[in-house]
Amino acid sequence: MRNLQLGCAKVDITPNYSIPLAGFAVRGNKPYEAVSSRIFLRVLLLQQTDADGASSKALLVSADLLWWGSDRIEAIREQLYNRYGLRPECVILNATHSHSGPQTSFNFHRLVGTADQAYVENLEALLYTAVEEAHHNMESVTIERGLGVCYNGIQRRKYVNGSVMGGPNPDGPIDHDLNVVRFAEESGRTKAVISHYACHPVLTTANEVSSEFTGFAMERLERELEGAVCLFMQGCCADINIFKESAPDSMDDHQLIAYFGDKLAEAVLATLQAPMKLLQPAALSGTQVQVPLQLRPLASREELKAIVDDGKSPYDEWATEMLSRFEARDKTLTMEFIRLDVAEGLALLAMNAEVVVEYGLYLKSLSADLLPVAYSNGMIGYVPMAYQLRHNGYEADESTYYFHMPAKLEPEIEAPVKLALERLATTQSKEEA
């Protein structure tokens, strides 16, 4: 009989001095002006001991950040393995994708926020502190899973006369599923909760630190659940924005965050109060798969110089960056998938990209057990569907420059991405991966 133990922790990662925030070019990369709400990093450390005494560990992290930088991930993984024996395929570092926290990558365009070296180093130190704290409060838990609904999100891509436009599209693809996972102590007390949903936290563009509606919701849950650590884990929301238009008129940003945060928290509480399915422990294990995504032909040196000379933002900075590593430019981007099995009927599939909702829906159609967790273990950029790459629009076109991608993705990337999802959606394929 397998015994699952859980330790958890929550640490404050709010910067204590003014630095640029990540997510909106409109801020002009200026240091933040205020702290609207504190931001946090939350940790679940899982450990399983089999009857023969063999043990395995896994780590789930949620942070009120835009993403985790791919340029930092390998060093973090090395530290987690050396200090705690956590294997890379058993670690998921997820970001809520709040656009009101500091930048964590040194790879991207200045206008999405310049990373501060001291902050990033302190963030990683706080991660290890949180893991250490979780290690010291491990105890046996049971796991329950429930399915609710939330209507905070809406598709943000519209097609008008063959062109892509931004704005709410109630007829577009959407995922209203709210998956809730409860970890309970032997006494019955809730020790931790995972809330999984797909929606951009972009209610404010103010140059202020904020945990956004996702963080607001988790803090309310933690109050109502008497100290449980509550993680929001972001789904495939690359083209799903918050449905601001559904809120009452005349609300300012702070009121909107509270409004939609309350809606999410109430949906989670309703799911927790409804009958939930008790899950049996499974082998705590992870599988890592990497898939190269083909880029379109790279720009020539002459083309890049012409863009620089033209001086239009954000293209000029991108072209300057491409010239600086002209010969070293990659012709593919590596998309990484990690499947982490937590219990019978529950696995997380992490992806190091900003993934559109239709891939998440496709994964769920393959297996109800799997939850897609984008914005995890790094960030390579947007991964759209083939038709979206053919129509262009922000996700397929303009974002290329902000992510400093060498070129736009080929539409043909959809096939290998779906193949990876199919392989990882079944036990047999998982073992072969």
Side-chain angles (χ1 to χ4, degrees):
M1 184 69 178
R2 296 186 176 99
N3 176 38
L4 183 66
Q5 293 185 309
L6 172 69
C8 49
K10 172 186 175 183
V11 295
D12 192 326
I13 58 170
T14 310
N16 57 15
Y17 56 96
S18 187
I19 59 176
L21 302 179
F24 288 118
V26 69
R27 295 187 181 123
N29 198 38
K30 296 176 182 177
Y32 72 77
E33 298 166 2
V35 175
S36 176
S37 60
R38 311 295 292 181
I39 60 175
F40 295 92
L41 178 149
R42 295 170 171 91
V43 159
L44 300 186
L45 180 62
L46 300 164
Q47 181 170 294
Q48 188 178 82
T49 304
D50 294 336
D52 61 4
S55 65
S56 53
K57 296 179 181 179
L59 179 68
L60 302 178
V61 177
S62 172
D64 296 322
L65 298 168
L66 192 62
W67 46 56
W68 293 83
S70 293
D71 45 322
R72 308 293 295 188
I73 290 298
E74 289 310 310
I76 293 173
R77 284 172 167 167
E78 183 177 353
Q79 287 291 321
L80 290 172
Y81 181 74
N82 291 338
R83 295 187 186 198
Y84 310 106
L86 286 158
R87 300 176 64 85
E89 66 271 20
C90 292
V91 172
I92 296 179
L93 304 177
N94 181 243
T96 65
H97 199 47
S98 168
H99 287 49
S100 296
Q103 178 63 265
T104 59
S105 174
F106 296 86
N107 285 350
F108 301 138
H109 198 288
R110 170 184 56 85
L111 288 179
V112 291
T114 298
D116 180 86
Q117 184 75 35
Y119 176 80
V120 171
E121 291 176 358
N122 187 56
L123 169 69
E124 293 166 10
L126 288 169
L127 167 63
Y128 308 135
T129 298
V131 175
E132 190 69 35
E133 181 182 336
H135 177 74
H136 289 293
N137 65 65
M138 303 280 289
E139 59 186 313
S140 297
V141 291
T142 57
I143 307 178
E144 295 175 295
R145 178 178 175 181
L147 179 64
V149 293
C150 184
Y151 298 100
N152 280 359
I154 192 166
Q155 174 61 226
R156 74 182 191 187
R157 284 173 61 101
K158 296 190 292 186
Y159 299 87
V160 179
N161 298 324
S163 298
V164 180
M165 299 178 62
N169 177 11
D171 299 320
I174 187 72
D175 185 358
H176 293 304
D177 284 356
L178 170 66
N179 280 274
V180 179
V181 180
R182 176 177 180 261
F183 297 87
E185 301 169 356
E186 291 180 352
S187 66
R189 174 186 173 273
T190 299
K191 186 175 179 74
V193 171
I194 296 174
S195 303
H196 176 271
Y197 184 62
C199 182
H200 258 76
V202 286
L203 282 167
T204 179
T205 60
N207 197 16
E208 301 176 354
V209 177
S210 172
S211 65
E212 263 278 352
F213 82 90
T214 52
F216 184 99
M218 295 307 103
E219 292 192 60
R220 175 178 166 184
L221 290 174
E222 288 168 344
R223 290 192 301 271
E224 299 205 17
L225 297 174
E226 300 179 349
V229 175
C230 297
L231 282 70
F232 179 86
M233 303 204 80
Q234 186 63 265
C236 294
C237 75
D239 51 349
I240 304 299
N241 267 10
I242 193 80
F243 193 8
K244 282 187 180 182
E245 293 75 9
S246 66
D249 293 336
S250 303
M251 281 189 169
D252 63 25
D253 290 357
H254 300 288
Q255 292 169 323
L256 285 168
I257 287 171
Y259 176 79
F260 285 103
D262 279 333
K263 284 185 66 177
L264 175 59
E266 286 160 8
V268 173
L269 289 168
T271 306
L272 288 169
Q273 291 159 8
M276 298 180 73
K277 182 179 180 181
L278 180 65
L279 305 181
Q280 297 303 313
L284 190 61
S285 61
T287 300
Q288 184 182 51
V289 172
Q290 294 185 336
V291 177
L293 304 183
Q294 186 64 44
L295 297 170
R296 299 182 193 187
L298 306 184
S300 68
R301 195 181 295 274
E302 290 71 25
E303 290 170 324
L304 292 171
K305 287 180 178 178
I307 294 172
V308 172
D309 292 342
D310 197 33
K312 291 183 180 178
S313 183
Y315 317 107
D316 53 350
E317 181 179 316
W318 168 83
T320 299
E321 174 67 18
M322 293 305 106
L323 284 169
S324 73
R325 52 185 169 104
F326 187 79
E327 299 297 340
R329 290 177 300 168
D330 294 324
K331 295 182 179 179
T332 61
L333 294 180
T334 301
M335 187 172 181
E336 180 190 84
F337 302 83
I338 286 182
R339 171 176 171 152
L340 179 62
D341 286 82
V342 177
E344 295 289 347
L346 175 63
L348 304 177
L349 188 65
M351 294 166 275
N352 66 336
E354 188 149 7
V355 184
V356 297
V357 71
E358 283 170 273
Y359 286 116
L361 293 169
Y362 184 68
L363 178 66
K364 290 182 178 182
S365 75
L366 297 171
S367 171
D369 296 348
L370 272 169
L371 298 181
V373 187
Y375 310 96
S376 296
N377 301 330
M379 174 53 58
I380 60 171
Y382 278 91
V383 176
M385 305 294 287
Y387 77 89
Q388 292 172 326
L389 288 163
R390 294 189 182 101
H391 279 96
N392 291 322
Y394 175 76
E395 298 85 358
D397 185 1
E398 196 78 4
S399 71
T400 300
Y401 306 101
Y402 292 106
F403 282 109
H404 280 176
M405 294 166 55
K408 300 172 191 177
L409 290 164
E410 290 278 14
E412 288 72 22
I413 62 126
E414 181 178 321
V417 172
K418 282 187 171 180
L419 180 60
L421 297 179
E422 291 161 7
R423 291 177 62 199
L424 288 161
T426 66
T427 302
Q428 181 180 5
S429 296
K430 173 177 169 290
E431 291 173 347
E432 294 174 350

